[in-house]
Amino acid sequence: MDQQVIYLDHAATTPVRPEVLDAMQPYFAERYGNPSSLYGLAQEARDGVAEARERVAAVLNCRTSEVVFTGNGTESNNTALKGVASALRDRGRHIITSAIEHHSVLHPLEQLESDGFDVTVLPVDDGGRVDAAAAAAAVRKDTILVSVMLANNEVGTVQDIELISRLVKARSNELGGDVKVHSDAAQAAGKLPLDTKTLGVDLLSLTGHKIYAPKGVGVLFVRRGTPLEPLLSGGGQERQRRSGTENVPYIVAMGAALELAETEREEFVTRTGRLRDMIESSIQGRMPDTKINGDRNHRLPNITNLSFPGVQGEPVLLGLDFKSIAASSGSACSSASVEPSHVLMAMGLSEEMAVSSVRLSLGRESTESESQQVVSAIPEIVARLRAM
Ligand SMILES: Cc1ncc(COP(=O)(O)O)c(C=O)c1O
């Protein structure tokens, strides 16, 4: 890899950190047993998975039996939504979500809609926040699930899941229902507390590759007693909730990465928050018409989403790439298209402002000097584009 790259796209993915690589490495060619087999080699693999499960459960403050390892965040979200919908379809067919969810929540919900479910999409305010009272007001007797993300991947806005969960459950109780609450916490790990009891959630999704584990491993927390039809059936692994031979090295990596992310969380928040604030104030100092997207009081410390009126985000990204700075516009999965981000549009930005946005996302290895280079590069690139 080019050592000179200034990587500011940690919300898209992160490199695997050395400690995680060390932890997973023995499970490829030495402790390679199938955890379902009986002999000693399999016991080693079983122990690796069990230890990873304990690490995840400690961070989520839940039982180990409530932790399901999956193939990625997308699978965790699909399993939560389709799994609960399928298990509870005879009790009700109404689901509530927000307009700024990741596509791995919105697209499965579209599928469920075409399968006869009724989906209410809650609007957000101009900072991207869901109104908890409005969420509760949307609950009906037949509402079976509410899915609202803990932190948004494009603008970093953080939702008050604790309050949303409390209010929607109270309303559901009043109506004689029993709503389940799911939250996509893919971007929140290592930045926000993930105590599932405090959050009051029944299901919570995580993915490894945003926290320095490899791509291709995820977690779904499923509170005991939550009805869930598995997406994959077969050998019955993960207590019947996710069949398929366990990806032992990646599961070990997930456990190690989440534990490290939680241990270093406060330091990460302080450090990246300081760099983010410096980047924003310097860029706005040089270009006062720069708009910072996202709720200024409720946001992740490591993401800044900026709109530069009069220029499109894509050429800014190309200009940054020319200087070996990696950043993103909107989410990585939709960056191939020029469609304005559904998140920014839901926040009320004009189409012109939405397509002018650039996301910079910091990581544990981001430095002050890198941030300074971005701060001098962006105004130069934007000025050049505006002059064209
Ligand atoms: C908020 C959010 N949810 C879900 C996902 C999907 O995770 P994965 O890439 O592991 O499928 C992502 C990652 O792009 C994300 O940012």
Side-chain angles (χ1 to χ4, degrees):
M1 191 188 91
D2 184 349
Q3 292 303 310
Q4 301 305 311
V5 169
I6 296 178
Y7 186 71
L8 288 174
D9 206 14
H10 293 84
T13 198
T14 57
V16 177
R17 60 189 286 180
E19 305 94 314
V20 170
L21 209 50
D22 284 348
M24 70 192 287
Q25 204 277 335
Y27 293 89
F28 283 103
E30 294 160 44
R31 305 178 200 159
Y32 56 84
N34 183 326
S36 299
S37 303
L38 280 177
Y39 34 81
L41 192 65
Q43 184 63 46
E44 287 182 347
R46 246 191 326 273
D47 290 347
V49 172
E51 197 182 319
R53 202 183 303 281
E54 275 164 25
R55 289 178 163 171
V56 172
V59 175
L60 301 185
N61 187 22
C62 70
R63 295 179 172 87
T64 51
S65 59
E66 294 172 322
V67 174
V68 180
F69 288 109
T70 67
N72 49 45
T74 299
E75 185 190 329
S76 297
N77 284 339
N78 272 262
T79 305
L81 302 166
K82 294 176 182 169
V84 169
S86 172
L88 294 181
R89 65 183 309 140
D90 291 336
R91 225 182 55 205
R93 299 199 178 181
H94 181 229
I95 300 173
I96 298 172
T97 191
S98 89
I100 61 160
E101 298 299 308
H102 190 262
H103 285 135
S104 58
V105 165
L106 293 177
H107 290 167
L109 288 178
E110 282 166 18
Q111 280 181 301
L112 286 169
E113 252 182 331
S114 61
D115 201 20
F117 285 84
D118 189 9
V119 178
T120 298
V121 179
L122 298 169
V124 293
D125 66 15
D126 58 4
R129 291 263 285 179
V130 170
D131 177 359
V139 171
R140 313 190 310 218
K141 188 174 182 337
D142 65 338
T143 308
I144 50 170
L145 185 63
V146 173
S147 180
V148 176
M149 72 202 314
L150 189 46
N152 181 266
N153 46 302
E154 293 189 34
V155 290
T157 297
V158 173
Q159 307 296 342
D160 190 344
I161 296 298
E162 192 181 335
L163 183 64
I164 292 173
S165 180
R166 188 148 40 81
L167 296 189
V168 300
K169 286 188 174 218
R171 180 67 186 140
S172 178
N173 255 343
E174 277 170 19
L175 297 170
D178 177 20
V179 74
K180 302 298 174 196
V181 175
H182 166 251
S183 188
D184 175 358
Q187 293 289 343
K191 291 113 200 165
L192 297 171
L194 295 179
D195 183 325
T196 53
K197 293 196 175 75
T198 309
L199 290 170
V201 292
D202 302 291
L203 304 115
L204 185 102
S205 302
L206 296 175
T207 183
H209 72 105
K210 314 289 185 185
I211 51 167
Y212 302 88
K215 296 152 192 67
V217 62
V219 162
L220 178 63
F221 157 76
V222 185
R223 187 175 297 289
R224 189 161 72 169
T226 307
L228 187 87
E229 279 289 323
L231 276 193
L232 302 181
S233 38
Q237 287 89 346
E238 298 296 287
R239 293 175 171 249
Q240 308 288 337
R241 293 164 302 191
R242 203 280 188 175
S243 284
T245 301
E246 298 86 342
N247 187 347
V248 181
Y250 280 42
I251 287 171
V252 168
M254 181 78 205
L258 187 62
E259 185 179 86
L260 284 164
E262 180 61 17
T263 308
E264 298 171 2
R265 181 162 57 82
E266 280 181 28
E267 189 197 328
F268 178 93
V269 168
T270 309
R271 232 176 58 75
T272 56
R274 204 169 44 78
L275 292 177
R276 191 263 323 263
D277 291 347
M278 187 278 281
I279 291 173
E280 289 181 347
S281 61
S282 303
I283 290 182
Q284 269 194 328
R286 292 178 208 190
M287 298 188 296
D289 61 350
T290 303
K291 181 177 184 317
I292 298 172
N293 301 312
D295 189 301
R296 297 296 285 272
N297 299 317
H298 305 95
R299 342 189 237 159
L300 294 178
N302 65 317
I303 294 182
T304 178
N305 187 305
L306 306 167
S307 287
F308 308 110
V311 299
Q312 292 213 342
E314 297 289 302
V316 176
L317 294 183
L318 293 176
L320 286 171
D321 186 38
F322 192 68
K323 292 174 182 287
S324 292
I325 299 171
S328 201
S329 64
S331 57
C333 15
S334 58
S335 63
S337 74
V338 286
E339 290 286 300
S341 137
H342 70 285
V343 174
L344 297 176
M345 294 302 283
M347 288 163 55
L349 267 74
S350 65
E351 198 163 315
E352 190 206 340
M353 284 299 268
V355 296
S356 81
S357 104
V358 168
R359 177 188 71 184
L360 306 172
S361 47
L362 298 151
R364 56 188 293 274
E365 71 281 16
S366 300
T367 63
E368 176 113 27
S369 140
E370 289 180 344
S371 307
Q372 294 288 1
Q373 291 180 62
V374 176
V375 160
S376 56
I378 287 184
E380 187 192 311
I381 294 166
V382 171
R384 187 156 33 80
L385 290 168
R386 279 179 177 159
M388 272 160 70

